Amino acid sequence: MKAIVAVKRVIDYNVKVRVKADNSDVDLANTKMSINPFCEIAVEEAVRLKEAGTVSEIVVVSVGPKAVQEQMRYAMALGADRGIQVETAAAPSSLDVARLLAKINEEENADLFILGKQAIDSDNNQTGQMLAALLDIPQATFASEVKIADGKAEVTREVDGGLVTLEMDLPAVVTTDLRLNEPRFAALPKIMQAKRKPLAVKTVEELGVTLSNSTELLSVEPPAERQAGIKVGSVDELLDKLRNDAQVL
Amino acid sequence: MNIYNAPAQDTAFVLDQLVQFDKLCEAMHLEEVNLELANVIVEEAGKLASEVLAPLNAVGDSNGAKLSDDKVQESPGYSDAYQQYMENGWATLTAPEAFGGQALPNVVGTAVNELWHSANMAFALCPMLTQGSIEALIAHGSDELQQAYLPRLVSGEWTGTMNLTEPAAGSDLAAVATKAVPNGDHYLITGQKIYITWGDHQMTPNIVHLVLARLPDAPAGVKGISLFIVPKFLLDENGEPGELNDAKCIALEHKLGIHASPTCTMSFGDNGGAVGYIVGEENKGLAYMFTMMNHARQSVGLQGLSISERAYQQAAWYAKDRTQGSRKDGTKIPIIEHPDVRRMLMAQRAGCEAMRGLALIAAAEIDRAHAGAAGASERVELLTPIVKGWMTEMANELTSLNIQVHGGMGFIEESGAPQHYRDARILAIYEGTNGIQALDLIGRKTLSDQGAALAALLDEMAGVEAELRAAGLDKFANRYAASVARGAEVREWILENAGADRQTMGAVAFDFLMLMGYLSGAWVMAKSAASAKALDAQESAYGAPFLSAKVATARFYAEHYLPRVEQHAQTLMTGLDAAFVLTDEQF
């Protein structure tokens, strides 16, 4: 069984995000970049399925400039077998990425697609769903448990107020939630091996996909600065402030 | 708070700009290794260090290793952490491929070891000692011993210990009294060893002790000591740990620091003799020990950096969090805005960055020496006592500054600041006290070659002045050039005065060691500042904030630490003869 795992290079989750002075975008100059945490969970899940003998090959795919190879090598150090980078300098939309993945699958014919439920930079939560629609295959989003048996996937999904368990025919798309697993640390010998694993580079043109550019980033605003608080002398005063100044009661 | 983050960016800068790592790998014919890989390795090791090992540091301090029924129980959580360390392959980093290692350069191992020691020095001592036993076996063990023990030591499945010290044989190993009596294909070892780091624990199914002992007909003194392997469990016919050997831990020391590192009194042969196998030839044990000494001593110097970095990170966090005093608008002032606190933080930062540069340069010289580069062996010999001695003295000062930044809270154990200060104190003592290092530097490393290796280093240092001027750092260049010239004067003075009175050399050796330390640190920081200035802030991956901080930190080093070169030079050239006026009885 072949699994395709898509990974995105994003600003590291520990980094305090800065906005460019002209509000045109987030400032990524000299910023630590990492694999999107949900994508890392997707890689980990695929590796566990491989260790369990369910999956035989893990193909990691990323879309972006050469730098995304860092995150692809990291996925390989965790256990992915080979990589396909779609080289582009543009920031593709979710739909573009889904179309590129669908195109890649024409050659790969994967049985399982594991994607992060969303990327922590754009927070779109779209690519997995769009990929399932384009391929016309079932999807299970926000997975907290994945079991594969007899050509079917049983996926427990985290939904508001509880859990939903679905059974789907394969091939299918799964998007990962935080509690699906806790990714391992990459082991030193695997980091060394990852350098030698095959990584193919394709261009958007080679894949015959035209990026839609259907969305445009207009501006980015940092959250409002927190104002200094005040000290109140009594509970009565607190209630008064909440009622009259803050008007929350 | 006592969190730890690997200083990956500074490590990358040092490997890239000071060590010239890619060139080093070319010289070593390592086609698959480059700076990018080294950075990934350091980053990934940093995760284990900060997420797994660092949180156990305080746990081990308050719940040290315990001895009961002849068994040492390591601190809670340490065994699990060790399994993770081992399963992720970190033990294999620098060992040869033939025994399951990754054969990465020593300088990468050093960069990674810095992180383990910062995160948890007591823990990291266990792999550090194992590495020593691996080196001994690789250099001197028979094929049979290598096949039996090396793969498991390299993988980390077993750990190793070094059994040198005895109650009457500390710095003077000529006094070793432990006996080894030939008995068929092996020897029977009897005697007691003290201060044996990680001499026993339950983390692995076997422990391999390397033991210095004396054969019955051995010549007296240093030429009559042999080296033996004494496994905790003897290996059965399948090479698996079987019967318990006649070697055990009979006591644990109660120490000032590194409580999680069991410091064992080992008793060999209480029931007739522990089975041991000779490493190499008879009576050559001490010479074998010396072949591993550079690496071992540099490792301890590295610990000085590690613990200082950990303390610095804690001090920086506290200084930003703790407020004292108010501004006119009523807002509180974090103490980092107070100039004296800032002075202390900069002293810690500049010290750490200078030490990191020096430690990695010295570690890379070991790689260059292995690759046969001209002058590299001499440079290793010269730098090793400086790395060990100066960096561990700095660790005492810098961990003390962390306490000072904390104010009253720094004296309280719960803040975590005292642990680093207590843990650091051993570093100036073990693996050859700094007095021994100073004698080594002035005698074996300076006088014995008429100051040739030192002259080569001073020449190289002098060359950096032009780089500073080219970078527009003229004030720095003036200070630096004057200090390097002072170093050359001191060299002349030592060579002139050595013949007259050997006692004088002993008296001034420590000042010489410290002088060379501060000067070497200045050399490293001068190179760093010049490189940082030369890099284009827009194009470089390091970014403008890092590069400008590097230049400012280097400047602070030159203003704060470099004058100490002059101080030590003045003291040294007095000959300190007043130290010998009093009779012994007058003390």
Side-chain angles (χ1 to χ4, degrees), chain A residues 20-203:
Chain A
K20 284 184 181 171
D22 63 1
N23 292 92
S24 61
D25 204 344
V26 169
D27 186 358
L28 293 182
N30 311 118
T31 306
K32 184 168 154 50
M33 304 293 282
S34 295
I35 187 170
N36 176 41
F38 292 105
C39 300
E40 191 178 355
I41 291 170
V43 175
E44 174 69 30
E45 194 62 19
V47 174
R48 289 185 189 191
L49 288 169
K50 192 178 174 192
E51 285 169 347
T54 312
V55 163
S56 54
E57 188 185 24
I58 303 168
V59 183
V60 60
V61 181
S62 190
V63 181
K66 187 160 195 287
V68 304
Q69 290 187 7
E70 273 176 46
Q71 282 63 44
M72 297 177 69
R73 292 284 175 208
Y74 186 72
M76 293 186 209
L78 292 178
D81 296 294
R82 62 186 170 93
I84 301 172
Q85 178 207 354
V86 182
E87 172 109 29
T88 169
S93 67
S94 305
L95 183 56
D96 289 334
V97 173
R99 288 161 68 212
L100 289 166
L101 289 171
K103 195 73 189 175
I104 283 170
N105 192 50
E106 285 180 12
E107 266 187 40
E108 296 291 340
N109 290 311
D111 307 284
L112 183 63
F113 301 83
I114 313 181
L115 283 72
K117 71 170 182 182
Q118 68 196 67
I120 60 166
D121 52 358
S122 54
D123 268 348
N124 284 330
N125 190 340
Q126 294 169 330
T127 308
Q129 293 91 325
M130 289 170 167
L131 176 63
L134 289 172
L135 294 177
D136 196 19
I137 58 175
Q139 58 172 296
T141 52
F142 317 140
S144 64
E145 195 180 356
V146 175
K147 288 184 208 156
I148 310 271
D150 308 325
K152 288 178 191 297
E154 189 184 301
V155 180
T156 304
R157 306 178 55 232
E158 298 196 348
V159 295
D160 289 348
L163 299 172
V164 169
T165 303
L166 297 178
E167 190 182 79
M168 309 184 287
D169 289 328
L170 295 178
V173 174
V174 173
T175 75
T176 61
D177 216 322
L178 269 186
R179 278 159 292 273
L180 178 58
N181 59 50
E182 201 177 319
R184 68 197 64 195
F185 297 115
L188 176 66
K190 297 237 166 111
I191 296 172
M192 306 286 286
Q193 286 160 15
K195 275 183 74 83
R196 299 175 207 133
K197 291 183 178 174
L199 195 161
V201 181
K202 295 182 191 281
T203 62

Side-chain angles (χ1 to χ4, degrees), chain B residues 198-271:
Chain B
W198 284 94
D200 192 41
H201 59 80
Q202 311 305 316
M203 304 195 296
T204 58
N206 209 356
I207 299 172
V208 181
H209 305 295
L210 282 171
V211 182
L212 285 183
R214 212 174 262 291
L215 291 164
D217 55 353
V222 292
K223 295 207 165 102
I225 296 170
S226 306
L227 180 63
F228 299 88
I229 268 200
V230 180
K232 177 178 172 183
F233 292 99
L234 297 170
L235 305 189
D236 64 18
E237 61 274 23
N238 301 318
E240 297 298 323
E243 193 190 333
L244 188 64
N245 205 350
D246 187 6
K248 63 180 185 223
C249 170
I250 55 169
L252 285 180
E253 304 294 348
H254 301 275
K255 308 191 295 291
L256 178 64
I258 53 170
H259 294 156
S261 165
T263 302
C264 303
T265 300
M266 297 297 297
S267 185
F268 296 92
D270 284 355
N271 300 303

Side-chain angles (χ1 to χ4, degrees), chain B residues 157-377:
Chain B
E157 284 166 83
W158 300 344
T159 66
T161 71
M162 303 298 258
N163 294 246
L164 280 63
T165 306
E166 296 176 10
S171 295
D172 178 17
L173 285 171
V176 159
T178 295
K179 287 195 198 96
V181 179
N183 186 32
D185 68 342
H186 59 266
Y187 294 79
L188 290 176
I189 316 283
T190 347
Q192 198 179 88
K193 294 285 179 180
I194 59 168
Y195 301 162
I196 308 310
T197 300
W198 284 94
D200 192 41
H201 59 80
Q202 311 305 316
M203 304 195 296
T204 58
N206 209 356
I207 299 172
V208 181
H209 305 295
L210 282 171
V211 182
L212 285 183
R214 212 174 262 291
L215 291 164
D217 55 353
V222 292
K223 295 207 165 102
I225 296 170
S226 306
L227 180 63
F228 299 88
I229 268 200
V230 180
K232 177 178 172 183
F233 292 99
L234 297 170
L235 305 189
D236 64 18
E237 61 274 23
N238 301 318
E240 297 298 323
E243 193 190 333
L244 188 64
N245 205 350
D246 187 6
K248 63 180 185 223
C249 170
I250 55 169
L252 285 180
E253 304 294 348
H254 301 275
K255 308 191 295 291
L256 178 64
I258 53 170
H259 294 156
S261 165
T263 302
C264 303
T265 300
M266 297 297 297
S267 185
F268 296 92
D270 284 355
N271 300 303
V275 174
Y277 308 96
I278 193 155
V279 178
E281 293 173 37
E282 293 183 349
N283 299 329
K284 294 207 169 154
L286 211 55
Y288 294 161
M289 282 292 143
F290 273 83
T291 62
M292 299 178 300
M293 204 158 64
N294 286 325
H295 187 270
R297 290 186 166 176
Q298 286 196 12
S299 297
V300 174
L302 182 73
Q303 291 184 307
L305 160 63
S306 298
I307 198 100
S308 303
E309 171 70 31
R310 180 79 187 258
Y312 164 62
Q313 290 192 15
Q314 193 190 16
W317 175 85
Y318 187 78
K320 285 187 265 192
D321 185 66
R322 169 77 172 162
T323 56
Q324 280 293 281
S326 305
R327 298 187 187 86
K328 280 187 182 135
D329 66 2
T331 53
K332 297 280 190 190
I333 304 172
I335 62 170
I336 195 167
E337 291 183 24
H338 294 301
D340 187 57
V341 171
R342 204 161 264 266
R343 169 189 67 80
M344 292 190 277
L345 288 176
M346 281 305 285
Q348 289 182 278
R349 183 187 179 103
C352 287
E353 290 187 14
M355 285 194 273
R356 183 169 300 111
L358 185 61
L360 294 184
I361 285 173
E365 287 297 339
I366 293 184
D367 289 317
R368 289 201 168 89
H370 284 165
S377 298

